[in-house]
Amino acid sequence: MMKKAFFKYIFALLLFGSNGIVASNIHLSSYEIVFWRTLIGSLLLIGIFFVTRQKITFAKEKNDTLFIVFSGITMGTSWMFLYEAYNQIGVSLASLSYYCGPVIVMGLSPILFKEKLTAYKIAGFIAVLIGIFLVNGTVSGENLNAFGIFCGIMSAIMYSFMVILNKKSKKVQGLENATIQLLMSFLTVAISGYLEPLSAIILATLILGETMRPLQIIGAVLIIGGAVFGEYYNSHL
């Protein structure tokens, strides 16, 4: 049983490792890739959840559900940063930055989860820090894309928040946990999509001195109201 689980884990890692290669051949923005990825994934997991007649427990575990909701939000945000980093600095460097996330979790685990920091974990932590130093040293000698590096680092930070928040959920686990998490990720990129045209209008008004027409003002109010309502409603499921 352990051997079977181990091979599943390795297969999942290899599958996730192909993200950057697949994304580099998709001619969409980072937001659009994450939007469609989370939409398709959410529909698939919801379908599997009901077909397999899984037991619904999240309604009774509000604290756990709240942690999963915020975990899903941070996961969607992490993916948006990651896919943008793919575009800005390439697959290899973006992936290396992203995988600093588990190291952040490992460093915070003794404080947040009272987990013992063993010599092996410390050695791994030091190895990753040296690797980050070497990678950054190599990049600094080339044409540095500061925004791309920022996106890579933010993807790692959001990843660590995602793991930490999800680990706080003790009772809502398995497929139900993953379904809620991915659904929240989808809603986060959906709301971000609504905010993108709004930010363009506001910045054009403030910086370029463009005037907003009455219908644009109404539209801006609807965008802000819809986004706030969506966030408020989701956090109170």
mmCIF file of all heavy atoms in Angstrom, residues 38 41-47 49-50 55-76 162 166 169 171-188 234-235 237:
data_model
loop_
_atom_site.group_PDB
_atom_site.id
_atom_site.type_symbol
_atom_site.label_atom_id
_atom_site.label_comp_id
_atom_site.label_asym_id
_atom_site.label_seq_id
_atom_site.Cartn_x
_atom_site.Cartn_y
_atom_site.Cartn_z
ATOM 1 N N THR A 38 -8.401 26.337 -13.332
ATOM 2 C CA THR A 38 -9.179 26.146 -12.111
ATOM 3 C C THR A 38 -10.649 25.878 -12.413
ATOM 4 O O THR A 38 -11.313 25.134 -11.677
ATOM 5 C CB THR A 38 -9.049 27.376 -11.194
ATOM 6 O OG1 THR A 38 -9.364 28.573 -11.929
ATOM 7 C CG2 THR A 38 -7.642 27.496 -10.640
ATOM 8 N N GLY A 41 -10.763 22.214 -13.630
ATOM 9 C CA GLY A 41 -10.465 21.365 -12.482
ATOM 10 C C GLY A 41 -11.591 21.339 -11.463
ATOM 11 O O GLY A 41 -11.923 20.282 -10.917
ATOM 12 N N SER A 42 -12.196 22.490 -11.212
ATOM 13 C CA SER A 42 -13.300 22.564 -10.250
ATOM 14 C C SER A 42 -14.493 21.741 -10.717
ATOM 15 O O SER A 42 -15.086 20.976 -9.937
ATOM 16 C CB SER A 42 -13.737 24.017 -10.055
ATOM 17 O OG SER A 42 -12.698 24.790 -9.511
ATOM 18 N N LEU A 43 -14.847 21.891 -11.992
ATOM 19 C CA LEU A 43 -15.980 21.128 -12.534
ATOM 20 C C LEU A 43 -15.722 19.633 -12.469
ATOM 21 O O LEU A 43 -16.614 18.837 -12.141
ATOM 22 C CB LEU A 43 -16.256 21.558 -13.978
ATOM 23 C CG LEU A 43 -16.766 22.996 -14.168
ATOM 24 C CD1 LEU A 43 -16.886 23.320 -15.651
ATOM 25 C CD2 LEU A 43 -18.094 23.201 -13.459
ATOM 26 N N LEU A 44 -14.473 19.237 -12.760
ATOM 27 C CA LEU A 44 -14.122 17.815 -12.720
ATOM 28 C C LEU A 44 -14.226 17.262 -11.304
ATOM 29 O O LEU A 44 -14.825 16.199 -11.081
ATOM 30 C CB LEU A 44 -12.699 17.624 -13.257
ATOM 31 C CG LEU A 44 -12.158 16.182 -13.239
ATOM 32 C CD1 LEU A 44 -13.012 15.286 -14.135
ATOM 33 C CD2 LEU A 44 -10.702 16.155 -13.686
ATOM 34 N N LEU A 45 -13.669 17.990 -10.339
ATOM 35 C CA LEU A 45 -13.699 17.506 -8.959
ATOM 36 C C LEU A 45 -15.110 17.488 -8.387
ATOM 37 O O LEU A 45 -15.472 16.569 -7.640
ATOM 38 C CB LEU A 45 -12.791 18.368 -8.080
ATOM 39 C CG LEU A 45 -11.284 18.203 -8.280
ATOM 40 C CD1 LEU A 45 -10.517 19.031 -7.256
ATOM 41 C CD2 LEU A 45 -10.876 16.739 -8.144
ATOM 42 N N ILE A 46 -15.911 18.496 -8.745
ATOM 43 C CA ILE A 46 -17.301 18.512 -8.288
ATOM 44 C C ILE A 46 -18.047 17.304 -8.845
ATOM 45 O O ILE A 46 -18.818 16.639 -8.139
ATOM 46 C CB ILE A 46 -17.996 19.826 -8.705
ATOM 47 C CG1 ILE A 46 -17.421 21.003 -7.909
ATOM 48 C CG2 ILE A 46 -19.510 19.734 -8.481
ATOM 49 C CD1 ILE A 46 -17.899 22.361 -8.391
ATOM 50 N N GLY A 47 -17.814 17.014 -10.138
ATOM 51 C CA GLY A 47 -18.439 15.847 -10.754
ATOM 52 C C GLY A 47 -18.029 14.549 -10.074
ATOM 53 O O GLY A 47 -18.878 13.698 -9.765
ATOM 54 N N PHE A 49 -16.887 14.209 -7.060
ATOM 55 C CA PHE A 49 -17.382 14.232 -5.678
ATOM 56 C C PHE A 49 -18.801 13.674 -5.593
ATOM 57 O O PHE A 49 -19.116 12.864 -4.709
ATOM 58 C CB PHE A 49 -17.333 15.663 -5.140
ATOM 59 C CG PHE A 49 -17.713 15.787 -3.694
ATOM 60 C CD1 PHE A 49 -16.774 15.597 -2.700
ATOM 61 C CD2 PHE A 49 -19.019 16.102 -3.329
ATOM 62 C CE1 PHE A 49 -17.119 15.714 -1.362
ATOM 63 C CE2 PHE A 49 -19.379 16.221 -1.998
ATOM 64 C CZ PHE A 49 -18.430 16.028 -1.006
ATOM 65 N N PHE A 50 -19.664 14.095 -6.526
ATOM 66 C CA PHE A 50 -21.054 13.656 -6.478
ATOM 67 C C PHE A 50 -21.243 12.270 -7.071
ATOM 68 O O PHE A 50 -22.089 11.496 -6.593
ATOM 69 C CB PHE A 50 -21.958 14.668 -7.183
ATOM 70 C CG PHE A 50 -22.184 15.916 -6.383
ATOM 71 C CD1 PHE A 50 -21.575 17.112 -6.730
ATOM 72 C CD2 PHE A 50 -22.999 15.897 -5.264
ATOM 73 C CE1 PHE A 50 -21.771 18.264 -5.980
ATOM 74 C CE2 PHE A 50 -23.216 17.048 -4.506
ATOM 75 C CZ PHE A 50 -22.597 18.228 -4.865
ATOM 76 N N LYS A 55 -19.308 12.046 1.297
ATOM 77 C CA LYS A 55 -20.048 12.635 2.406
ATOM 78 C C LYS A 55 -19.684 14.111 2.555
ATOM 79 O O LYS A 55 -18.513 14.472 2.544
ATOM 80 C CB LYS A 55 -19.729 11.884 3.700
ATOM 81 C CG LYS A 55 -20.560 12.347 4.887
ATOM 82 C CD LYS A 55 -20.215 11.537 6.129
ATOM 83 C CE LYS A 55 -21.047 12.018 7.330
ATOM 84 N NZ LYS A 55 -20.712 11.247 8.561
ATOM 85 N N ILE A 56 -20.698 14.953 2.683
ATOM 86 C CA ILE A 56 -20.476 16.397 2.853
ATOM 87 C C ILE A 56 -20.306 16.707 4.339
ATOM 88 O O ILE A 56 -21.205 16.444 5.143
ATOM 89 C CB ILE A 56 -21.648 17.207 2.272
ATOM 90 C CG1 ILE A 56 -21.773 16.964 0.760
ATOM 91 C CG2 ILE A 56 -21.467 18.694 2.563
ATOM 92 C CD1 ILE A 56 -22.963 17.648 0.120
ATOM 93 N N THR A 57 -19.160 17.259 4.687
ATOM 94 C CA THR A 57 -18.871 17.569 6.092
ATOM 95 C C THR A 57 -18.564 19.050 6.333
ATOM 96 O O THR A 57 -18.595 19.503 7.472
ATOM 97 C CB THR A 57 -17.675 16.736 6.592
ATOM 98 O OG1 THR A 57 -16.519 17.077 5.809
ATOM 99 C CG2 THR A 57 -17.954 15.257 6.470
ATOM 100 N N PHE A 58 -18.254 19.793 5.248
ATOM 101 C CA PHE A 58 -17.781 21.162 5.432
ATOM 102 C C PHE A 58 -18.834 22.079 6.062
ATOM 103 O O PHE A 58 -18.502 23.058 6.732
ATOM 104 C CB PHE A 58 -17.296 21.759 4.108
ATOM 105 C CG PHE A 58 -18.394 22.135 3.150
ATOM 106 C CD1 PHE A 58 -18.945 23.401 3.163
ATOM 107 C CD2 PHE A 58 -18.859 21.217 2.215
ATOM 108 C CE1 PHE A 58 -19.948 23.766 2.279
ATOM 109 C CE2 PHE A 58 -19.856 21.561 1.320
ATOM 110 C CZ PHE A 58 -20.409 22.842 1.350
ATOM 111 N N ALA A 59 -20.124 21.767 5.856
ATOM 112 C CA ALA A 59 -21.187 22.612 6.401
ATOM 113 C C ALA A 59 -21.180 22.615 7.931
ATOM 114 O O ALA A 59 -21.580 23.602 8.565
ATOM 115 C CB ALA A 59 -22.548 22.142 5.889
ATOM 116 N N LYS A 60 -20.719 21.528 8.519
ATOM 117 C CA LYS A 60 -20.689 21.424 9.983
ATOM 118 C C LYS A 60 -19.367 21.919 10.572
ATOM 119 O O LYS A 60 -19.279 22.140 11.777
ATOM 120 C CB LYS A 60 -20.919 19.975 10.400
ATOM 121 C CG LYS A 60 -22.265 19.404 9.980
ATOM 122 C CD LYS A 60 -22.393 17.958 10.419
ATOM 123 C CE LYS A 60 -23.735 17.366 9.978
ATOM 124 N NZ LYS A 60 -23.869 15.937 10.379
ATOM 125 N N GLU A 61 -18.357 22.051 9.733
ATOM 126 C CA GLU A 61 -17.028 22.434 10.215
ATOM 127 C C GLU A 61 -16.668 23.804 9.641
ATOM 128 O O GLU A 61 -15.892 23.926 8.696
ATOM 129 C CB GLU A 61 -15.990 21.380 9.791
ATOM 130 C CG GLU A 61 -16.319 19.966 10.231
ATOM 131 C CD GLU A 61 -16.295 19.802 11.748
ATOM 132 O OE1 GLU A 61 -15.670 20.652 12.431
ATOM 133 O OE2 GLU A 61 -16.878 18.823 12.242
ATOM 134 N N LYS A 62 -17.246 24.837 10.203
ATOM 135 C CA LYS A 62 -17.092 26.185 9.651
ATOM 136 C C LYS A 62 -15.655 26.700 9.755
ATOM 137 O O LYS A 62 -15.153 27.354 8.840
ATOM 138 C CB LYS A 62 -18.055 27.141 10.348
ATOM 139 C CG LYS A 62 -19.525 26.839 10.048
ATOM 140 C CD LYS A 62 -20.441 27.860 10.684
ATOM 141 C CE LYS A 62 -21.896 27.561 10.337
ATOM 142 N NZ LYS A 62 -22.837 28.534 10.943
ATOM 143 N N ASN A 63 -14.985 26.413 10.870
ATOM 144 C CA ASN A 63 -13.605 26.880 11.025
ATOM 145 C C ASN A 63 -12.692 26.233 9.998
ATOM 146 O O ASN A 63 -11.865 26.897 9.364
ATOM 147 C CB ASN A 63 -13.092 26.580 12.437
ATOM 148 C CG ASN A 63 -13.723 27.473 13.489
ATOM 149 O OD1 ASN A 63 -14.197 28.568 13.183
ATOM 150 N ND2 ASN A 63 -13.759 27.012 14.717
ATOM 151 N N ASP A 64 -12.835 24.917 9.818
ATOM 152 C CA ASP A 64 -12.034 24.209 8.824
ATOM 153 C C ASP A 64 -12.321 24.726 7.423
ATOM 154 O O ASP A 64 -11.413 24.921 6.611
ATOM 155 C CB ASP A 64 -12.318 22.704 8.876
ATOM 156 C CG ASP A 64 -11.559 22.015 9.995
ATOM 157 O OD1 ASP A 64 -11.352 22.659 11.045
ATOM 158 O OD2 ASP A 64 -11.165 20.850 9.826
ATOM 159 N N THR A 65 -13.601 24.953 7.132
ATOM 160 C CA THR A 65 -13.999 25.441 5.812
ATOM 161 C C THR A 65 -13.399 26.808 5.537
ATOM 162 O O THR A 65 -12.959 27.097 4.414
ATOM 163 C CB THR A 65 -15.531 25.514 5.716
ATOM 164 O OG1 THR A 65 -16.088 24.222 5.974
ATOM 165 C CG2 THR A 65 -15.959 25.978 4.339
ATOM 166 N N LEU A 66 -13.357 27.654 6.557
ATOM 167 C CA LEU A 66 -12.789 28.987 6.392
ATOM 168 C C LEU A 66 -11.303 28.907 6.052
ATOM 169 O O LEU A 66 -10.811 29.643 5.183
ATOM 170 C CB LEU A 66 -12.993 29.805 7.673
ATOM 171 C CG LEU A 66 -12.736 31.308 7.565
ATOM 172 C CD1 LEU A 66 -13.679 31.934 6.544
ATOM 173 C CD2 LEU A 66 -12.911 31.972 8.919
ATOM 174 N N PHE A 67 -10.586 28.004 6.697
ATOM 175 C CA PHE A 67 -9.172 27.810 6.390
ATOM 176 C C PHE A 67 -8.994 27.328 4.952
ATOM 177 O O PHE A 67 -8.087 27.773 4.236
ATOM 178 C CB PHE A 67 -8.539 26.800 7.354
ATOM 179 C CG PHE A 67 -8.213 27.358 8.706
ATOM 180 C CD1 PHE A 67 -8.732 26.785 9.856
ATOM 181 C CD2 PHE A 67 -7.382 28.473 8.836
ATOM 182 C CE1 PHE A 67 -8.424 27.300 11.112
ATOM 183 C CE2 PHE A 67 -7.074 28.992 10.084
ATOM 184 C CZ PHE A 67 -7.596 28.411 11.220
ATOM 185 N N ILE A 68 -9.859 26.428 4.506
ATOM 186 C CA ILE A 68 -9.766 25.902 3.142
ATOM 187 C C ILE A 68 -10.073 26.991 2.122
ATOM 188 O O ILE A 68 -9.438 27.073 1.061
ATOM 189 C CB ILE A 68 -10.718 24.704 2.950
ATOM 190 C CG1 ILE A 68 -10.351 23.565 3.905
ATOM 191 C CG2 ILE A 68 -10.659 24.194 1.512
ATOM 192 C CD1 ILE A 68 -11.353 22.425 3.922
ATOM 193 N N VAL A 69 -11.067 27.836 2.441
ATOM 194 C CA VAL A 69 -11.427 28.935 1.540
ATOM 195 C C VAL A 69 -10.231 29.851 1.307
ATOM 196 O O VAL A 69 -9.865 30.169 0.173
ATOM 197 C CB VAL A 69 -12.616 29.733 2.106
ATOM 198 C CG1 VAL A 69 -12.775 31.069 1.380
ATOM 199 C CG2 VAL A 69 -13.903 28.925 1.995
ATOM 200 N N PHE A 70 -9.590 30.279 2.395
ATOM 201 C CA PHE A 70 -8.431 31.162 2.262
ATOM 202 C C PHE A 70 -7.239 30.432 1.642
ATOM 203 O O PHE A 70 -6.429 31.043 0.941
ATOM 204 C CB PHE A 70 -8.059 31.754 3.622
ATOM 205 C CG PHE A 70 -8.982 32.848 4.065
ATOM 206 C CD1 PHE A 70 -9.836 32.665 5.145
ATOM 207 C CD2 PHE A 70 -9.027 34.054 3.390
ATOM 208 C CE1 PHE A 70 -10.696 33.672 5.547
ATOM 209 C CE2 PHE A 70 -9.887 35.072 3.784
ATOM 210 C CZ PHE A 70 -10.727 34.876 4.863
ATOM 211 N N SER A 71 -7.164 29.128 1.890
ATOM 212 C CA SER A 71 -6.119 28.336 1.246
ATOM 213 C C SER A 71 -6.308 28.319 -0.267
ATOM 214 O O SER A 71 -5.349 28.438 -1.037
ATOM 215 C CB SER A 71 -6.142 26.903 1.794
ATOM 216 O OG SER A 71 -5.228 26.079 1.113
ATOM 217 N N GLY A 72 -7.560 28.192 -0.700
ATOM 218 C CA GLY A 72 -7.852 28.215 -2.126
ATOM 219 C C GLY A 72 -7.558 29.564 -2.754
ATOM 220 O O GLY A 72 -7.049 29.648 -3.875
ATOM 221 N N ILE A 73 -7.840 30.636 -2.020
ATOM 222 C CA ILE A 73 -7.557 31.981 -2.520
ATOM 223 C C ILE A 73 -6.052 32.155 -2.726
ATOM 224 O O ILE A 73 -5.609 32.676 -3.757
ATOM 225 C CB ILE A 73 -8.103 33.046 -1.550
ATOM 226 C CG1 ILE A 73 -9.634 33.030 -1.560
ATOM 227 C CG2 ILE A 73 -7.591 34.434 -1.919
ATOM 228 C CD1 ILE A 73 -10.276 33.892 -0.493
ATOM 229 N N THR A 74 -5.275 31.733 -1.746
ATOM 230 C CA THR A 74 -3.816 31.864 -1.860
ATOM 231 C C THR A 74 -3.264 30.942 -2.945
ATOM 232 O O THR A 74 -2.277 31.289 -3.606
ATOM 233 C CB THR A 74 -3.125 31.561 -0.522
ATOM 234 O OG1 THR A 74 -3.550 30.281 -0.029
ATOM 235 C CG2 THR A 74 -3.449 32.621 0.509
ATOM 236 N N MET A 75 -3.893 29.791 -3.157
ATOM 237 C CA MET A 75 -3.440 28.891 -4.214
ATOM 238 C C MET A 75 -3.651 29.524 -5.585
ATOM 239 O O MET A 75 -2.763 29.482 -6.452
ATOM 240 C CB MET A 75 -4.164 27.543 -4.139
ATOM 241 C CG MET A 75 -3.673 26.532 -5.187
ATOM 242 S SD MET A 75 -4.300 24.851 -4.912
ATOM 243 C CE MET A 75 -6.002 25.058 -5.418
ATOM 244 N N GLY A 76 -4.834 30.104 -5.806
ATOM 245 C CA GLY A 76 -5.090 30.773 -7.074
ATOM 246 C C GLY A 76 -4.136 31.927 -7.301
ATOM 247 O O GLY A 76 -3.624 32.130 -8.407
ATOM 248 N N MET A 162 -0.752 28.832 1.354
ATOM 249 C CA MET A 162 -1.730 27.829 0.954
ATOM 250 C C MET A 162 -1.577 26.546 1.778
ATOM 251 O O MET A 162 -2.544 26.007 2.312
ATOM 252 C CB MET A 162 -1.586 27.519 -0.537
ATOM 253 C CG MET A 162 -2.557 26.479 -1.067
ATOM 254 S SD MET A 162 -1.896 24.782 -1.047
ATOM 255 C CE MET A 162 -0.627 24.886 -2.305
ATOM 256 N N ASN A 166 -4.143 25.236 4.738
ATOM 257 C CA ASN A 166 -4.803 23.961 4.505
ATOM 258 C C ASN A 166 -4.511 22.958 5.622
ATOM 259 O O ASN A 166 -5.367 22.137 5.977
ATOM 260 C CB ASN A 166 -4.374 23.380 3.156
ATOM 261 C CG ASN A 166 -5.321 22.307 2.672
ATOM 262 O OD1 ASN A 166 -5.073 21.117 2.832
ATOM 263 N ND2 ASN A 166 -6.429 22.713 2.078
ATOM 264 N N SER A 169 -6.862 22.792 8.556
ATOM 265 C CA SER A 169 -8.113 22.049 8.432
ATOM 266 C C SER A 169 -7.869 20.599 8.857
ATOM 267 O O SER A 169 -7.166 19.859 8.179
ATOM 268 C CB SER A 169 -8.630 22.104 6.984
ATOM 269 O OG SER A 169 -9.758 21.273 6.838
ATOM 270 N N LYS A 171 -10.535 18.351 9.983
ATOM 271 C CA LYS A 171 -11.672 17.446 9.823
ATOM 272 C C LYS A 171 -12.172 17.350 8.387
ATOM 273 O O LYS A 171 -12.728 16.331 7.989
ATOM 274 C CB LYS A 171 -12.805 17.879 10.751
ATOM 275 C CG LYS A 171 -12.426 17.815 12.223
ATOM 276 C CD LYS A 171 -13.567 18.266 13.115
ATOM 277 C CE LYS A 171 -13.172 18.214 14.588
ATOM 278 N NZ LYS A 171 -14.257 18.673 15.478
ATOM 279 N N VAL A 172 -12.030 18.422 7.621
ATOM 280 C CA VAL A 172 -12.446 18.392 6.218
ATOM 281 C C VAL A 172 -11.227 18.032 5.379
ATOM 282 O O VAL A 172 -10.328 18.846 5.188
ATOM 283 C CB VAL A 172 -13.028 19.744 5.764
ATOM 284 C CG1 VAL A 172 -13.496 19.669 4.313
ATOM 285 C CG2 VAL A 172 -14.165 20.175 6.676
ATOM 286 N N GLN A 173 -11.183 16.810 4.894
ATOM 287 C CA GLN A 173 -9.997 16.302 4.217
ATOM 288 C C GLN A 173 -10.355 15.685 2.867
ATOM 289 O O GLN A 173 -11.508 15.686 2.443
ATOM 290 C CB GLN A 173 -9.300 15.249 5.107
ATOM 291 C CG GLN A 173 -8.809 15.769 6.446
ATOM 292 C CD GLN A 173 -7.618 16.688 6.306
ATOM 293 O OE1 GLN A 173 -6.814 16.556 5.385
ATOM 294 N NE2 GLN A 173 -7.489 17.627 7.233
ATOM 295 N N GLY A 174 -9.337 15.142 2.199
ATOM 296 C CA GLY A 174 -9.541 14.365 0.984
ATOM 297 C C GLY A 174 -10.136 15.142 -0.173
ATOM 298 O O GLY A 174 -9.832 16.318 -0.388
ATOM 299 N N LEU A 175 -11.011 14.484 -0.904
ATOM 300 C CA LEU A 175 -11.596 15.053 -2.120
ATOM 301 C C LEU A 175 -12.435 16.282 -1.813
ATOM 302 O O LEU A 175 -12.440 17.241 -2.589
ATOM 303 C CB LEU A 175 -12.444 13.990 -2.826
ATOM 304 C CG LEU A 175 -13.084 14.394 -4.160
ATOM 305 C CD1 LEU A 175 -12.013 14.778 -5.171
ATOM 306 C CD2 LEU A 175 -13.956 13.267 -4.700
ATOM 307 N N GLU A 176 -13.137 16.269 -0.697
ATOM 308 C CA GLU A 176 -13.963 17.425 -0.333
ATOM 309 C C GLU A 176 -13.083 18.651 -0.118
ATOM 310 O O GLU A 176 -13.403 19.747 -0.582
ATOM 311 C CB GLU A 176 -14.751 17.122 0.939
ATOM 312 C CG GLU A 176 -15.704 18.240 1.341
ATOM 313 C CD GLU A 176 -16.483 17.913 2.594
ATOM 314 O OE1 GLU A 176 -16.036 17.036 3.362
ATOM 315 O OE2 GLU A 176 -17.542 18.532 2.819
ATOM 316 N N ASN A 177 -11.979 18.475 0.560
ATOM 317 C CA ASN A 177 -11.033 19.561 0.794
ATOM 318 C C ASN A 177 -10.509 20.116 -0.525
ATOM 319 O O ASN A 177 -10.519 21.328 -0.752
ATOM 320 C CB ASN A 177 -9.877 19.042 1.658
ATOM 321 C CG ASN A 177 -8.876 20.121 2.034
ATOM 322 O OD1 ASN A 177 -8.348 20.817 1.173
ATOM 323 N ND2 ASN A 177 -8.583 20.231 3.314
ATOM 324 N N ALA A 178 -10.047 19.213 -1.398
ATOM 325 C CA ALA A 178 -9.480 19.632 -2.681
ATOM 326 C C ALA A 178 -10.505 20.338 -3.562
ATOM 327 O O ALA A 178 -10.182 21.304 -4.268
ATOM 328 C CB ALA A 178 -8.913 18.414 -3.415
ATOM 329 N N THR A 179 -11.764 19.867 -3.524
ATOM 330 C CA THR A 179 -12.824 20.472 -4.338
ATOM 331 C C THR A 179 -13.100 21.913 -3.902
ATOM 332 O O THR A 179 -13.176 22.821 -4.734
ATOM 333 C CB THR A 179 -14.118 19.641 -4.240
ATOM 334 O OG1 THR A 179 -13.854 18.295 -4.660
ATOM 335 C CG2 THR A 179 -15.209 20.238 -5.114
ATOM 336 N N ILE A 180 -13.241 22.113 -2.597
ATOM 337 C CA ILE A 180 -13.492 23.465 -2.085
ATOM 338 C C ILE A 180 -12.317 24.373 -2.390
ATOM 339 O O ILE A 180 -12.482 25.519 -2.818
ATOM 340 C CB ILE A 180 -13.745 23.423 -0.562
ATOM 341 C CG1 ILE A 180 -15.001 22.604 -0.256
ATOM 342 C CG2 ILE A 180 -13.897 24.842 -0.007
ATOM 343 C CD1 ILE A 180 -15.215 22.353 1.214
ATOM 344 N N GLN A 181 -11.114 23.860 -2.180
ATOM 345 C CA GLN A 181 -9.904 24.656 -2.397
ATOM 346 C C GLN A 181 -9.789 25.114 -3.850
ATOM 347 O O GLN A 181 -9.527 26.290 -4.133
ATOM 348 C CB GLN A 181 -8.677 23.846 -2.004
ATOM 349 C CG GLN A 181 -7.374 24.641 -2.033
ATOM 350 C CD GLN A 181 -6.175 23.764 -1.742
ATOM 351 O OE1 GLN A 181 -5.976 22.729 -2.383
ATOM 352 N NE2 GLN A 181 -5.365 24.159 -0.782
ATOM 353 N N LEU A 182 -9.989 24.186 -4.790
ATOM 354 C CA LEU A 182 -9.864 24.539 -6.197
ATOM 355 C C LEU A 182 -10.985 25.456 -6.651
ATOM 356 O O LEU A 182 -10.774 26.361 -7.471
ATOM 357 C CB LEU A 182 -9.838 23.263 -7.056
ATOM 358 C CG LEU A 182 -9.399 23.444 -8.513
ATOM 359 C CD1 LEU A 182 -8.000 24.057 -8.577
ATOM 360 C CD2 LEU A 182 -9.414 22.104 -9.248
ATOM 361 N N LEU A 183 -12.175 25.268 -6.100
ATOM 362 C CA LEU A 183 -13.298 26.145 -6.438
ATOM 363 C C LEU A 183 -13.010 27.575 -5.979
ATOM 364 O O LEU A 183 -13.294 28.538 -6.705
ATOM 365 C CB LEU A 183 -14.583 25.626 -5.790
ATOM 366 C CG LEU A 183 -15.861 26.419 -6.086
ATOM 367 C CD1 LEU A 183 -16.149 26.459 -7.579
ATOM 368 C CD2 LEU A 183 -17.046 25.819 -5.328
ATOM 369 N N MET A 184 -12.442 27.723 -4.791
ATOM 370 C CA MET A 184 -12.081 29.056 -4.301
ATOM 371 C C MET A 184 -10.974 29.678 -5.151
ATOM 372 O O MET A 184 -10.942 30.889 -5.363
ATOM 373 C CB MET A 184 -11.635 28.974 -2.834
ATOM 374 C CG MET A 184 -12.735 28.639 -1.843
ATOM 375 S SD MET A 184 -14.146 29.775 -1.950
ATOM 376 C CE MET A 184 -15.380 28.706 -2.726
ATOM 377 N N SER A 185 -10.056 28.836 -5.645
ATOM 378 C CA SER A 185 -9.011 29.334 -6.545
ATOM 379 C C SER A 185 -9.622 29.884 -7.815
ATOM 380 O O SER A 185 -9.213 30.941 -8.319
ATOM 381 C CB SER A 185 -8.032 28.205 -6.894
ATOM 382 O OG SER A 185 -7.342 27.763 -5.764
ATOM 383 N N PHE A 186 -10.615 29.183 -8.346
ATOM 384 C CA PHE A 186 -11.296 29.646 -9.556
ATOM 385 C C PHE A 186 -11.996 30.982 -9.319
ATOM 386 O O PHE A 186 -11.887 31.915 -10.126
ATOM 387 C CB PHE A 186 -12.312 28.603 -10.019
ATOM 388 C CG PHE A 186 -13.345 29.142 -10.968
ATOM 389 C CD1 PHE A 186 -12.989 29.528 -12.252
ATOM 390 C CD2 PHE A 186 -14.664 29.305 -10.556
ATOM 391 C CE1 PHE A 186 -13.937 30.050 -13.116
ATOM 392 C CE2 PHE A 186 -15.611 29.818 -11.418
ATOM 393 C CZ PHE A 186 -15.243 30.193 -12.698
ATOM 394 N N LEU A 187 -12.711 31.093 -8.193
ATOM 395 C CA LEU A 187 -13.424 32.335 -7.897
ATOM 396 C C LEU A 187 -12.447 33.495 -7.724
ATOM 397 O O LEU A 187 -12.745 34.635 -8.081
ATOM 398 C CB LEU A 187 -14.278 32.151 -6.634
ATOM 399 C CG LEU A 187 -15.450 31.177 -6.761
ATOM 400 C CD1 LEU A 187 -16.164 31.030 -5.431
ATOM 401 C CD2 LEU A 187 -16.429 31.639 -7.832
ATOM 402 N N THR A 188 -11.250 33.231 -7.147
ATOM 403 C CA THR A 188 -10.230 34.263 -6.977
ATOM 404 C C THR A 188 -9.752 34.754 -8.379
ATOM 405 O O THR A 188 -9.668 35.991 -8.575
ATOM 406 C CB THR A 188 -9.038 33.698 -6.183
ATOM 407 O OG1 THR A 188 -9.493 33.215 -4.912
ATOM 408 C CG2 THR A 188 -7.982 34.776 -5.949
ATOM 409 N N ASN A 234 -18.055 34.274 0.029
ATOM 410 C CA ASN A 234 -17.205 33.081 0.056
ATOM 411 C C ASN A 234 -16.604 32.851 1.435
ATOM 412 O O ASN A 234 -16.467 31.719 1.893
ATOM 413 C CB ASN A 234 -16.078 33.219 -0.961
ATOM 414 C CG ASN A 234 -16.584 33.140 -2.380
ATOM 415 O OD1 ASN A 234 -17.622 32.531 -2.636
ATOM 416 N ND2 ASN A 234 -15.877 33.757 -3.303
ATOM 417 N N SER A 235 -16.199 33.929 2.104
ATOM 418 C CA SER A 235 -15.577 33.791 3.418
ATOM 419 C C SER A 235 -16.567 33.440 4.512
ATOM 420 O O SER A 235 -16.166 33.115 5.621
ATOM 421 C CB SER A 235 -14.837 35.098 3.792
ATOM 422 O OG SER A 235 -15.773 36.152 3.928
ATOM 423 N N LEU A 237 -19.084 31.092 3.934
ATOM 424 C CA LEU A 237 -19.771 29.848 3.582
ATOM 425 C C LEU A 237 -19.859 28.911 4.782
ATOM 426 O O LEU A 237 -18.913 28.806 5.524
ATOM 427 C CB LEU A 237 -19.008 29.150 2.442
ATOM 428 C CG LEU A 237 -19.146 29.766 1.055
ATOM 429 C CD1 LEU A 237 -18.261 29.014 0.059
ATOM 430 C CD2 LEU A 237 -20.595 29.726 0.578
#
